[in-house]
Amino acid sequence: MKKFAKDFIVKDNVTLSSAYALLRLAPVDGILPEMQAGQFVQVEVKGSKTTYLRRPISVNFADYDDGLLWLLVRNAGDGTHAMIEMQVGEVVNIVLPLGHGFTSPSDKSESVLLTGGGVGVAPLLFFGKTLKDADFNVSFLLGAKSEKDLLELDEFRKYGEVFITTEDGSLGERGFVTMHSVLKQRHFSKIACCGPTPMMKAVAKYAKANDIDCEVSLENVMACGLGACLCCVEDTVDGNLCVCKEGPVFNIKRLKWQI
Amino acid sequence: MADLRVNIGALKLKNPVMTASGTFGYGEEFADLVNLDRLGGILVKGTTLNAREGNPYPRMVETPSGMLNAVGLQNHGVDYFISEIYPRIKDIDTNIIVNVSGASPDDYAEVCRRLLPLEHIPAVEINISCPNVKQGGMAFGVTCEGAASVVKAVRKVYDKTMIVKLSPNVTDIAAIARAAEDEGADAVSLTNTFLGMAINTETRRPYLSTITGGLSGACIRPIAVRMVWQVANAVKIPVIGLGGIMNGRDAVEFLLAGATAVQVGTANFIDPSVTEKIIDYIDDYLNRHNLNSVADIVGGML
Ligand SMILES: Cc1cc2nc3c(=O)[nH]c(=O)nc-3n(C[C@H](O)[C@H](O)[C@H](O)COP(=O)(O)OP(=O)(O)OC[C@H]3O[C@@H](n4cnc5c(N)ncnc54)[C@H](O)[C@@H]3O)c2cc1C
Ligand SMILES: Cc1cc2nc3c(=O)[nH]c(=O)nc-3n(C[C@H](O)[C@H](O)[C@H](O)COP(=O)(O)O)c2cc1C
Ligand code: FES
């Protein structure tokens, strides 16, 4: 897929809760590049005195009807803080699309579970839409610390059934995603997962134990985002691979996780 | 339009702007984002005799106006480069220069010997900042004898342009440059990364798996400019300047300090097409100052 370094204009910036914002951006030249669910972008950071490199952010959604790129950003430090402070009308340069995304199952009868935690839910929205457009049966299992950390629930509901866990029990079932009752009640033939590493490992362990095909999206620290600097490597059965180029989505069979 | 051409020994560059090894892959990673044919040269990833897995993750951390890296020369080895990568990149209309590393002078020489027949590789850049296994892990680039031993071994087998890339982690970089010149290097490039370290104060752990790593980016520029100026005053062979070049102004600063050409590294991560902007800036700068060619500003500090 051809990559671009494009200027985008902030069309709106919705604060989802104190720590998160949904940015919707339009390419200045009007052409939103073709993207795959699970791919990411590298955002130039403006307005932060301490941030030097670009910041990798997942494609939350590519809205081709309105020509908008959606980014769901969590305030994790100075760079992401500057991003969520961006004003409508500001212009920012974005390199995209990067990496390899999620793969759709070959058989339409398969039911797919998309599960994530915190801001890790970001790439699952676009993947859910992609799967629904291709007539797959999609379910989402979203986990968070608390109700206020659950993002874009109304958007997710457009593409599939939504199951929820919160650590404090403020919404859905109490606990972690791997403890949700739906996992005992239904059979899924594929799982796609994105979230904090301990959560992804727990999901991967569940998938492995139940012989379910499972892909996870890694968030290794990155510099170039283009497969050039070899900073972001993950140890895999094929050796050290660049998460930014061969990933960020990997089938758990390729990872050397102790699960 | 000013004359942007420069020569590094027998090597002819259409302009003085190249990309630094390890920051630009094999060029192809940037092909969608930069017109590679416009570049003066591409220094490809550090290449060794045998494949290397590199260091464990984490390999990088951002630091004020720069970054630390500890990639550890991950590469598939020279034979893989020749059979798999070279055919894909050989027709890029620029100077493709292979950055070479090794654990002994013989290693370096053997890699260069295998690269010599490749028609579209007009030069090598000898990275003497990597550990000298035979002498117990110290880098060749930190002593005059170490540097001389590598340059001598390569010179015996390699008669195309040899650039020697100097480590800045030394007390007298000009002395090392002279040692390389004396053994027949055609040019020197500097600087490589500066040894640095950063600790996560919350976890109390180092950010890098190797604890220490190489510092690059804007934060090193004033030190690199000083070293280029010192070396340019100490040797007669051309000097290639790098370290923290972020834009055209910075590139001109290195030329004024005495560099005949420059390399751009970390800045490619922030603006993948920064090299094209630097080329345009130099052209514009020369026109603005009523100068005809890059040669007019090399070492042109007043
Ligand atoms: C492929 C990928 C997709 C991502 N998608 C999203 C997303 O959709 N939404 C979102 O909010 N965040 C996402 N992240 C994480 C986001 O990139 C980091 O939170 C951000 O870089 C932190 O920068 P900062 O300046 O705000 O904080 P810093 O103070 O620099 O760092 C805070 C934390 O973020 C991590 N981090 C710092 N720099 C990087 C980097 N260059 N790459 C990765 N992690 C880093 C650090 O390890 C640290 O733990 C993604 C990361 C990757 C690799
Ligand atoms: C991720 C990374 C990998 C590098 N790999 C190499 C290498 O393989 N060989 C080498 O000679 N220099 C290597 N370098 C050093 C750069 O080529 C350059 O000397 C240094 O980064 C300073 O320039 P800059 O500040 O413009 O980046 C690497 C630098 C970085 C950031
Ligand atoms: S971030 Fe440079 S190779 Fe992945």
Side-chain angles (χ1 to χ4, degrees):
Chain A
M1 233 171 257
K2 188 170 159 58
K3 300 181 185 81
F4 301 86
K6 262 183 200 271
D7 284 341
F8 280 74
I9 182 160
V10 180
K11 285 293 178 187
D12 65 39
N13 179 346
V14 186
T15 305
L16 297 183
S17 74
S18 60
Y20 304 92
L22 173 63
L23 294 165
R24 279 186 282 237
L25 308 114
V28 169
D29 67 4
I31 306 164
L32 189 63
E34 191 193 333
M35 280 170 259
Q36 208 185 15
Q39 287 187 303
F40 69 101
V41 306
Q42 281 264 67
V43 185
E44 165 196 36
V45 179
K46 287 181 169 172
S48 160
K49 286 204 177 94
T50 58
T51 306
Y52 186 60
L53 299 167
R54 286 176 185 255
R55 291 293 186 262
I57 300 291
S58 305
V59 174
N60 176 220
F61 199 75
D63 172 3
Y64 290 100
D65 296 334
D66 295 320
L68 293 175
L69 170 70
W70 296 20
L71 302 179
L72 190 62
V73 182
R74 181 177 75 96
N75 181 357
D78 289 351
T80 45
H81 178 74
M83 262 184 238
I84 68 176
E85 292 288 310
M86 274 196 293
Q87 303 295 311
V88 171
E90 251 185 85
V91 173
V92 63
N93 192 269
I94 299 180
V95 178
L96 80 169
L98 300 171
H100 283 94
F102 295 107
T103 46
S104 301
S106 44
D107 182 351
K108 299 267 152 148
S109 68
E110 292 190 34
S111 88
V112 189
L113 180 70
L114 310 191
T115 182
V119 76
V121 302
L124 303 180
L125 184 64
F126 190 33
F127 191 39
K129 148 115 171 107
T130 308
L131 290 171
K132 176 152 197 252
D133 286 353
D135 292 328
F136 284 99
N137 183 350
V138 183
S139 306
F140 297 98
L141 172 53
L142 308 176
K145 282 210 167 57
S146 158
E147 181 178 2
K148 66 175 184 359
D149 302 307
L150 284 158
L151 309 169
E152 298 184 311
L153 288 183
D154 293 337
E155 291 297 331
F156 282 107
R157 290 194 177 106
K158 289 182 187 166
Y159 308 110
E161 200 172 344
V162 176
F163 303 94
I164 290 167
T165 60
T166 50
E167 287 171 39
D168 65 1
S170 51
L171 197 71
E173 295 184 14
R174 181 190 294 268
F176 298 113
V177 288
T178 43
M179 293 150 71
H180 198 283
S181 56
V182 70
L183 294 178
K184 292 189 192 74
Q185 290 152 10
R186 298 213 196 156
H187 175 73
F188 298 100
S189 45
K190 166 157 186 137
I191 297 179
C193 177
C194 183
T197 306
M199 176 202 164
M200 289 197 287
K201 285 193 173 161
V203 170
K205 191 172 175 175
Y206 168 83
K208 191 178 172 193
N210 292 278
D211 201 20
I212 302 171
D213 188 52
C214 179
E215 287 180 323
V216 293
S217 181
L218 305 185
E219 292 200 350
N220 292 13
V221 287
M222 293 181 178
C224 72
L226 298 167
C229 72
L230 308 184
C231 284
C232 63
V233 293
E234 178 73 18
D235 188 17
T236 72
V237 293
D238 305 310
N240 281 328
L241 296 182
C242 293
V243 169
C244 71
K245 190 179 170 194
E246 313 289 335
V249 175
F250 287 92
N251 195 297
I252 57 166
K253 285 188 205 131
R254 295 182 77 192
L255 302 176
K256 286 202 186 156
W257 284 358
Q258 303 298 321
I259 47 171
Chain B
M1 180 148 169
D3 184 358
L4 297 185
R5 292 172 300 174
V6 297
N7 293 340
I8 303 288
L11 188 68
K12 294 187 184 340
L13 311 186
K14 59 180 90 165
N15 62 63
V17 181
M18 299 183 270
T19 57
S21 176
T23 66
F24 207 67
Y26 296 100
E28 49 188 359
E29 294 85 346
F30 282 75
D32 287 345
L33 304 166
V34 194
N35 180 356
L36 300 173
D37 291 346
R38 281 198 71 196
L39 301 174
I42 296 174
L43 281 290
V44 305
K45 205 169 285 179
T47 302
T48 50
L49 190 52
N50 301 311
R52 284 177 55 101
E53 268 293 299
N55 293 319
Y57 179 84
R59 292 179 173 183
M60 76 79 68
V61 61
E62 184 175 302
T63 53
S65 295
M67 60 179 274
L68 287 166
N69 91 79
V71 172
L73 295 170
Q74 178 180 334
N75 79 102
H76 290 290
V78 64
D79 292 337
Y80 182 91
F81 172 79
I82 293 169
S83 63
E84 303 297 320
I85 300 168
Y86 175 69
R88 297 204 301 260
I89 62 173
K90 69 179 179 36
D91 294 322
I92 302 171
D93 183 17
T94 187
N95 290 299
I96 298 175
I97 302 170
V98 179
N99 178 274
V100 177
S101 276
S104 72
D106 295 344
D107 267 17
Y108 282 94
E110 183 54 26
V111 175
C112 295
R113 198 184 61 76
R114 294 188 196 181
L115 292 170
L116 186 65
L118 304 184
E119 190 192 340
H120 298 275
I121 306 292
V124 291
E125 182 181 58
I126 304 297
N127 173 16
I128 53 173
S129 324
C130 57
N132 172 349
V133 173
K134 279 193 183 152
Q135 282 177 25
M138 216 170 40
F140 290 105
V142 300
T143 61
C144 293
E145 300 72 38
S149 68
V150 175
V151 177
K152 192 175 185 173
V154 173
R155 188 76 293 172
K156 267 192 208 143
V157 298
Y158 194 81
D159 59 10
K160 294 188 193 171
T161 303
M162 176 190 0
I163 302 162
V164 178
K165 186 165 179 182
L166 306 179
S167 165
N169 303 307
V170 296
T171 15
D172 185 359
I173 196 165
I176 314 265
R178 275 193 299 265
E181 180 180 40
D182 289 346
E183 293 297 340
D186 297 302
V188 285
S189 55
L190 65 149
T191 69
N192 210 314
T193 52
F194 290 72
L195 199 59
M197 177 171 162
I199 306 168
N200 182 333
T201 51
E202 292 307 312
T203 63
R204 298 206 215 167
R205 289 177 201 280
Y207 277 105
L208 300 177
S209 68
T210 49
I211 305 180
T212 62
L215 185 64
S216 66
C219 57
I220 68 171
R221 189 173 60 244
I223 321 180
V225 171
R226 183 263 293 175
M227 290 182 161
V228 164
W229 176 74
Q230 286 178 321
V231 168
N233 284 316
V235 297
K236 294 190 187 65
I237 51 177
V239 175
I240 299 168
L242 73 153
I245 295 177
M246 300 305 296
N247 53 41
R249 189 221 72 91
D250 300 346
V252 169
E253 188 179 13
F254 275 88
L255 298 173
L256 291 171
T260 299
V262 295
Q263 294 177 12
V264 180
T266 307
N268 294 303
F269 305 161
I270 297 162
D271 177 358
S273 64
V274 67
T275 41
E276 288 194 77
K277 291 170 191 159
I278 293 174
I279 296 165
D280 293 339
Y281 181 96
I282 295 174
D283 187 21
D284 181 59
Y285 176 90
L286 293 171
N287 293 332
R288 245 181 333 111
H289 289 261
N290 294 317
L291 298 166
N292 297 323
S293 73
V294 172
D296 295 336
I297 55 168
V298 172
M301 182 178 73
L302 298 176

